[in-house]
Amino acid sequence: MKKFLVFALLVVSFVVLAQPKLTIWCSEKQVDILQKLGEEFKAKYGVEVEVQYVNFQDIKSKFLTAAPEGQGADIIVGAHDWVGELAVNGLIEPIPNFADLKNFYETALNAFSYGGKLYGVPYAMEAIALIYNKDYVPEPPKTMDELIEVAKQIDEEFGGEVRGFITSAAEFYYIAPFIFGYGGYVFKQTEKGLDVNDIGLANEGAIKGVKLLKRMVDEGILDPSDNYQIMDSMFREGQAAMIINGPWAVKAYKDAGIDYGVSPIPDLEPGVPAKPFVGVQGFMVNAKSPNKLLAIEFLTSFIAKKETMYRIYLADPRLPARKDVLELVKDNPDVVGFTQSAANGIPMPNVPQMAAVWAAMNDALNLVVNGKATVEEALKNAVERIKSQIQ
Amino acid sequence: MKKLIKLLLWFLLALLNVTFFWAGVFLFQNEYYELSIVLFSLLFLIDFFIINPRGYPYRYVIPALVLLFVLVLYPIYFTFKVAFTNYGTGHFMSRQEAIERLLYDPNFSYVVDSTPVSYKVFVVYDGLSPTEDFLILFRVNGVIYLGEKPRPVVSRGQEVLLSQYNLVPVNGETVSLNGDNFRIVPWPADLSEINLVVRGDTTYKSFYSPDDEILRLNAPYFKSRIAQNYLVNAEYVLPDGKKLALRIAPDGEWRFMHVERLYRLVYKEVYDGGKMKIKTTVINNLTGREVVEREGAFYDVDENGNETFLVGFIDFVGWKNFLRIVKDPKVSGPFFRIFLWTFVWAVLSVVLSLAVGLPFALVLNNPRLKGRNLYRTLLIIPWAIPVFISALVWRNGLLNETYGVINKFLLPLLGLDPIKWFNDPFWARVGVLLVNVWLTFPYMMTISLGALQSIPPELYEVAAIDGAGRFRRFVYITFPLLMTIIAPLLVSSFAFSFNNFTIIYLITGGGPPIPNSTTPTGYTDILISYVYKLAFEGGQGQDFGFASAISILIFFLVGGISFVNFKLSGAFEEVSK
């Protein structure tokens, strides 16, 4: 027993004497820059910052397992659509107001807010846009009619060797710009946040949007089996003239030597802009971390600064969430294209109920493009399915 | 030498005892009661077996026993336990912890008066470097108050939930406190001019104040060592009961403000079936309303009756998850058709891969075949490649409807129309079966090969003398003898296919979707993939309670089917021989 007591005392004193340390989980691209920032933080605060590389897809699930036990990183770098689930589980800490807050885009801050509280410091936004190969399409089309026209010409000219237009036909994320552009919505935005009982995925606008997709399939521009891998690899190999993809993909196209351009998704009709989902990336603080004040300090007085945000942009070139940083990078044509596209966009809902939407809508689009159900039927059914699941 | 070894063994046993004991106590303290009990009973058994001569033969069973507990019994127990709770999104902590959050988490407090209170921190220096021994002087309404390091009031395990210190007004140059004399230097002076606080022979030097330009340079140390370690959950209580706590002010500085708790705990008497029970509830101090507790979560209610979700907890829900399987049309509706396909899928997977694997085994077993080892190695390759890789190759490279090798080259070569591998219900099922057969036939081939080699060659000689042909020899000798050996393996392989989530999820994701279904069902969904979709991709993200309930059901289904299979195939008799 005495031995045990001594041991227990040793453990306790170890805990007391242990220096605070901040752990960050982030994906590959941010590791280097965060390590450098961590060293600067250590020089000033005497606190070690340990940056751990975790696959982006695994950060949330790993955090969900570790955080309830009081473990896991003090700070995670992730997407805003995790916020609802993590906040409902009580695993992330609200961020108090800080001086630089006013320099961030409202969209980015809203995306990280849940139940009226801010749960993260955003650093980058992303939205899909039209990416075109300048060898086939010197000037990007301005409307969908033009796009269909150009795509048809290219399809005919190359006899199927080069596709005029490809997008992931049965994936809600890629078809959402059509649906939202005509007035569809996932959950109704109210003053108090999103109303998950009001689903606008089978309203007139949504039907019109999916009919546009159906028209492209019927006219042979899109193939029902078109998916992300096909679109991505064909564009990289110069076999596709126009695609709809996000900023994460352009580096590969540049490396492949494609002379590409980025422009907003063409207007659905003159004066009716397409509205893609906007995703926001940011930093969140573990609510059960013993170092959460320090973590908040690290975010608000280090990460949220203009210089830091610019350095993060240089390491991982995505649209900065800070207005003055976006000004700095305005001369990058890719950034301009994606910014214009994101400007029309709608933040992806960050409520946990979103989990039910993806599968239901993907299935509905799948049925539509394969001609197994009419647009109206498929969407009405998808909404019923979502409703029955989120109750 | 023998003595030495014995001594070493006893030492190891003592070490084991200490470790287990410590781990047991640690787990108990952290509220893992079940694991701790298991650990203690294991410790008891181990000691009993080793010390008591009668337990001697059992000591060789110990490792198996430990592994059985840790890897089999505990997970099963845990699954059963979770199946009766609502563990999932929104319900991640215990009720106790949820209440502690409401009561002590700084986020559930409100600032009564946001005018910051001036304060100055004094620390003891060790040579040139500051230590964590500190004092704080506050100035509230012109009076200076002295505060020491706050003392833990409420803690859970090693985590301090709330610490407090009752502030003492400083009326003269020296203050007497708990037998110590504190001298303020210089005195009388404004807070900004005070430099030292002397206690006995210890000197506290002025160190940090957000209002002092020079002292602000020490902010990092103050924040990272003193504030982070001692002030996060601390309250300094003024003589009139007002509480001062550290908050991050809108200007980014860390300041003390007058705060109050948003919730308080009350014990309520509830009459339940004529008996009086004490129930803990939480009251909102601002509105005076009781917080609603419903379905494993606390909700704040405002005057209009609108509810705001506060925090959820893991609650015992009884048979609810199991009843949902029966009653919820979302689950029970497609259950039968999915079950049927799961059954067909499992049977066909076994039969077809045996049908492919067995002929290969027969050929490879023929001693006249040259280069048998080479063929065998090549045929085992599908088995050796990780499933994740081969599944993706099949999905994107071979089966893809437009660009896959099969549709683009193979079928046109044969003059056939392309097949909709992912969008035609029939062909999607054929597709997943095809992939699964490709992945599992090497296993069937290997076990058949082993079994074939155990058939005595005399039987064939006798049969040949009796004039039996090759086919009859196979039907009457090879196949029956083979089956007695591999039947148990086939049953376990059936059970494996029944739950082969990976293939279905990676190849088709359960698709193609069934039109007009109100559930996330597809034509190739098997029970386990359907449950995964229901529990982790529908609703609010994660529903461990429901997933556990269904996995228990699947456990009994697979167990039952396997039992019948074993009985029918006579495998038990074979094993018990």
Side-chain angles (χ1 to χ4, degrees):
Chain A
M1 198 59 206
K2 211 169 178 185
K3 205 170 186 178
F4 172 68
L5 275 179
V6 172
F7 190 55
L9 270 177
L10 268 175
V11 169
V12 170
S13 55
F14 178 73
V15 169
V16 171
L17 290 177
Q19 303 281 315
K21 186 171 91 175
L22 286 180
T23 322
I24 303 180
W25 282 351
C26 63
S27 40
E28 196 190 350
K29 281 178 180 160
Q30 298 106 27
V31 174
D32 289 339
I33 175 76
L34 285 180
Q35 246 154 13
K36 273 181 217 141
L37 289 170
E39 275 158 31
E40 287 167 27
F41 189 73
K42 192 187 172 192
K44 203 172 163 195
Y45 285 74
V47 174
E48 189 103 17
V49 178
E50 192 184 326
V51 184
Q52 290 173 359
Y53 161 47
V54 181
N55 257 334
F56 182 76
Q57 295 89 336
D58 299 336
I59 293 180
K60 189 178 98 175
S61 58
K62 237 183 122 173
F63 188 73
L64 274 170
T65 321
E69 303 297 321
Q71 281 158 8
D74 301 301
I75 296 172
I76 54 169
V77 185
H80 80 274
D81 50 328
W82 306 350
V83 166
E85 190 181 349
L86 296 180
V88 164
N89 288 338
L91 299 178
I92 48 174
E93 183 76 6
I95 310 275
N97 285 344
F98 55 94
D100 287 299
L101 211 55
K102 56 182 186 299
N103 293 318
F104 284 85
Y105 279 101
E106 201 72 7
T107 323
L109 293 176
N110 283 343
F112 267 97
S113 301
Y114 184 76
K117 286 179 186 156
L118 181 68
Y119 279 96
V121 175
Y123 75 89
M125 299 186 286
E126 59 195 19
I128 46 177
L130 184 78
I131 303 178
Y132 57 97
N133 189 327
K134 288 181 181 163
D135 293 348
Y136 306 112
V137 188
E139 271 301 306
K142 290 278 173 275
T143 64
M144 276 295 161
D145 286 336
E146 273 179 51
L147 179 137
I148 292 172
E149 207 52 46
V150 173
K152 267 187 191 160
Q153 279 172 14
I154 293 170
D155 281 345
E156 271 167 32
E157 190 179 333
F158 293 91
E161 281 306 299
V162 174
R163 289 274 304 273
F165 175 64
I166 316 182
T167 188
S168 191
E171 232 180 306
F172 180 42
Y173 184 75
Y174 292 91
I175 305 307
F178 304 169
I179 296 177
F180 299 155
Y182 277 122
Y185 52 88
V186 181
F187 300 122
K188 186 82 180 170
Q189 181 78 46
T190 65
E191 289 159 25
K192 293 177 71 184
L194 295 167
D195 178 5
V196 296
N197 295 314
D198 186 349
I199 300 171
L201 288 172
N203 66 12
E204 223 172 288
I207 291 171
K208 228 170 157 185
V210 178
K211 279 198 168 149
L212 176 63
L213 167 74
K214 179 77 179 147
R215 180 182 150 205
M216 290 183 182
V217 175
D218 289 345
E219 295 189 12
I221 293 167
L222 283 176
D223 189 274
S225 70
D226 282 345
N227 62 25
Y228 184 85
Q229 278 93 4
I230 291 175
M231 150 174 106
D232 190 49
S233 61
M234 286 188 81
F235 192 81
R236 203 166 44 219
E237 259 137 54
Q239 292 179 312
M242 293 176 284
I243 59 170
I244 291 181
N245 207 344
W248 53 85
V250 293
K251 190 171 179 296
Y253 304 149
K254 194 179 277 174
D255 293 347
I258 303 288
D259 184 14
Y260 68 91
V262 179
S263 82
I265 298 170
D267 289 351
L268 305 179
E269 278 165 24
V272 183
K275 294 183 176 171
F277 268 132
V278 177
V280 184
Q281 313 285 316
F283 295 77
M284 289 166 261
V285 173
N286 184 342
K288 289 191 140 195
S289 146
N291 306 317
K292 58 188 179 191
L293 268 192
L294 210 52
I296 291 173
E297 173 78 7
F298 179 62
L299 295 192
T300 53
S301 58
F302 250 79
I303 296 292
K305 293 285 172 225
K306 190 177 170 188
E307 310 87 76
T308 315
M309 286 284 165
Y310 182 60
R311 283 164 66 185
I312 295 178
Y313 164 80
L314 292 180
D316 179 13
R318 287 194 266 191
L319 302 185
R322 242 187 101 116
K323 295 177 200 160
D324 41 8
V325 178
L326 190 63
E327 286 304 315
L328 291 179
V329 301
K330 267 279 164 67
D331 49 347
N332 180 337
D334 293 357
V335 169
V336 176
F338 284 119
T339 311
Q340 284 169 348
S341 189
N344 293 325
I346 289 174
M348 209 184 289
N350 63 10
V351 290
Q353 284 84 354
M354 194 61 192
V357 175
W358 295 112
M361 282 304 287
N362 289 348
D363 282 355
L365 293 175
N366 193 321
L367 292 172
V368 168
V369 295
N370 285 294
K372 299 260 177 62
T374 67
V375 175
E376 289 87 351
E377 269 170 21
L379 290 178
K380 200 168 142 254
N381 185 250
V383 169
E384 268 168 36
R385 205 172 116 179
I386 297 166
K387 276 188 177 156
S388 81
Q389 276 192 68
I390 61 181
Q391 269 162 12
Chain B
M1 192 62 200
K2 216 172 178 184
K3 251 186 184 166
L4 198 74
I5 288 176
K6 199 156 190 186
L7 204 72
L8 195 73
L9 282 177
W10 281 109
F11 178 71
L12 280 178
L13 183 66
L15 210 65
L16 188 83
N17 267 292
V18 170
T19 328
F20 267 51
F21 191 81
W22 177 75
V25 172
F26 179 79
L27 287 170
F28 196 81
Q29 275 180 345
N30 285 283
E31 294 173 12
Y32 292 98
Y33 302 118
E34 307 91 351
L35 258 187
S36 145
I37 290 168
V38 166
L39 217 58
F40 277 121
S41 30
L42 272 177
L43 184 64
F44 176 78
L45 281 177
I46 291 170
D47 285 349
F48 178 78
F49 290 155
I50 289 178
I51 294 164
N52 192 318
R54 272 187 299 162
Y56 191 88
Y58 293 105
R59 62 166 70 168
Y60 301 104
V61 185
I62 291 172
L65 211 60
V66 174
L67 290 178
L68 186 74
F69 262 119
V70 175
L71 298 178
V72 180
L73 293 183
Y74 188 70
I76 290 179
Y77 164 76
F78 196 73
T79 311
F80 270 88
K81 198 180 124 186
V82 169
F84 292 96
T85 67
N86 60 2
Y87 186 33
T89 299
H91 309 279
F92 256 65
M93 54 186 99
S94 65
R95 185 172 184 270
Q96 172 77 17
E97 206 194 330
I99 291 182
E100 280 168 355
R101 271 237 177 155
L102 291 179
L103 295 181
Y104 305 117
D105 190 322
N107 288 313
F108 292 111
S109 65
Y110 62 96
V111 176
V112 181
D113 183 2
S114 62
T115 25
V117 172
S118 320
Y119 70 96
K120 197 167 191 176
V121 181
F122 297 79
V123 302
V124 175
Y125 276 83
D126 175 20
L128 285 174
S129 52
T131 65
E132 294 181 12
D133 189 358
F134 70 96
L135 288 176
I136 308 184
L137 291 186
F138 293 91
R139 197 186 59 209
V140 186
N141 298 331
V143 183
I144 290 185
Y145 293 90
L146 174 77
E148 289 183 279
K149 205 180 265 185
R151 276 143 210 180
V153 183
V154 188
S155 10
R156 205 164 70 90
Q158 285 171 359
E159 193 187 345
V160 177
L161 296 174
L162 178 69
S163 58
Q164 276 185 336
Y165 190 84
N166 292 319
L167 290 171
V168 181
V170 183
N171 300 319
E173 188 179 356
T174 50
V175 197
S176 187
L177 223 165
N178 306 329
D180 281 331
N181 277 321
F182 291 85
R183 195 155 57 85
I184 314 283
V185 187
W187 181 268
D190 191 61
L191 189 58
S192 57
E193 291 153 20
I194 296 173
N195 280 328
L196 299 174
V197 178
V198 184
R199 184 185 71 179
D201 49 6
T202 330
T203 309
Y204 293 84
K205 291 180 188 160
S206 60
F207 183 70
Y208 174 74
S209 171
D211 309 314
D212 188 313
E213 275 305 314
I214 293 172
L215 292 184
R216 273 217 337 231
L217 294 176
N218 287 328
Y221 187 89
F222 166 72
K223 287 174 176 175
S224 65
R225 292 294 195 281
I226 294 172
Q228 177 62 62
N229 288 345
Y230 303 102
L231 301 179
V232 176
N233 297 306
E235 288 173 353
Y236 283 95
V237 186
L238 288 164
D240 62 358
K242 280 184 184 167
K243 292 168 187 147
L244 301 177
L246 195 68
R247 293 286 180 272
I248 300 182
D251 62 355
E253 291 295 338
W254 296 17
R255 296 179 185 277
F256 276 93
M257 293 174 195
H258 176 196
V259 299
E260 282 300 332
R261 307 291 329 156
L262 196 49
Y263 299 101
R264 67 171 188 273
L265 190 68
V266 289
Y267 294 93
K268 202 170 66 168
E269 291 172 357
V270 186
Y271 289 93
D272 184 18
K275 271 193 220 157
M276 198 195 79
K277 277 184 184 168
I278 302 276
K279 201 174 178 313
T280 49
T281 52
V282 180
I283 305 251
N284 185 323
N285 285 330
L286 269 182
T287 60
R289 280 164 209 275
E290 189 181 322
V291 165
V292 175
E293 184 181 343
R294 181 162 41 82
E295 286 170 356
F298 289 110
Y299 297 87
D300 218 344
V301 194
D302 66 6
E303 58 268 30
N304 301 326
N306 292 329
E307 293 180 352
T308 323
F309 174 88
L310 290 174
V311 60
F313 55 88
I314 303 171
D315 199 14
F316 180 79
V317 293
W319 292 94
K320 196 179 152 198
N321 288 326
F322 292 93
L323 288 177
R324 197 177 143 197
I325 302 172
V326 187
K327 281 188 179 163
D328 191 343
K330 248 183 349 217
V331 188
S332 56
F335 193 87
F336 187 70
R337 70 183 295 171
I338 295 176
F339 178 73
L340 203 70
W341 158 242
T342 311
F343 195 80
V344 171
W345 149 260
V347 170
L348 284 182
S349 291
V350 174
V351 172
L352 291 178
S353 53
L354 183 69
V356 177
L358 186 57
F360 276 121
L362 289 174
V363 173
L364 286 177
N365 196 39
N366 192 331
R368 276 175 297 176
L369 181 72
K370 279 195 184 119
R372 275 198 293 171
N373 283 339
L374 180 70
Y375 289 126
R376 194 160 53 198
T377 317
L378 287 177
L379 284 169
I380 281 179
I381 283 180
W383 200 17
I385 297 172
V387 180
F388 291 92
I389 294 173
S390 39
L392 287 179
V393 169
W394 272 96
R395 193 180 75 148
N396 291 324
L398 297 171
L399 295 179
N400 186 292
E401 288 174 3
T402 322
Y403 302 98
V405 174
I406 296 182
N407 274 7
K408 198 164 186 186
F409 300 110
L410 206 60
L411 294 176
L413 214 64
L414 300 172
L416 296 171
D417 285 337
I419 290 172
K420 286 188 165 286
W421 290 107
F422 298 112
N423 288 308
D424 185 274
F426 175 75
W427 287 109
R429 289 176 169 180
V430 172
V432 282
L433 273 172
L434 191 69
V435 178
N436 201 29
V437 167
W438 191 78
L439 285 169
T440 46
F441 88 85
Y443 171 73
M444 294 297 176
M445 183 187 84
T446 314
I447 59 171
S448 308
L449 254 180
L452 284 175
Q453 273 154 12
S454 73
I455 298 174
E458 297 84 30
L459 292 178
Y460 292 110
E461 284 169 26
V462 173
I465 290 166
D466 282 350
R470 203 165 275 222
F471 179 72
R472 301 193 71 170
R473 268 183 277 167
F474 175 78
V475 172
Y476 291 108
I477 301 173
T478 315
F479 196 69
L481 284 174
L482 192 75
M483 279 324 258
T484 52
I485 299 172
I486 65 169
L489 297 171
L490 293 186
V491 174
S492 59
S493 159
F494 168 86
F496 179 77
S497 294
F498 201 89
N499 281 331
N500 199 338
F501 173 79
T502 331
I503 300 294
I504 301 289
Y505 197 74
L506 288 181
I507 301 285
T508 61
I514 299 175
N516 291 324
S517 80
T518 50
T519 60
T521 343
Y523 283 104
T524 54
D525 261 322
I526 57 175
L527 271 178
I528 193 87
S529 68
Y530 178 57
V531 171
Y532 180 85
K533 285 183 182 176
L534 272 183
F536 297 108
E537 289 185 345
Q540 304 216 356
Q542 291 179 314
D543 192 346
F544 296 113
F546 179 64
S548 299
I550 293 226
S551 51
I552 288 170
L553 183 80
I554 294 180
F555 168 73
F556 282 115
L557 272 177
V558 176
I561 295 170
S562 301
F563 180 77
V564 172
N565 267 336
F566 275 123
K567 271 277 179 217
L568 288 182
S569 65
F572 279 141
E573 285 77 24
E574 200 53 43
V575 172
S576 56
K577 256 185 219 168

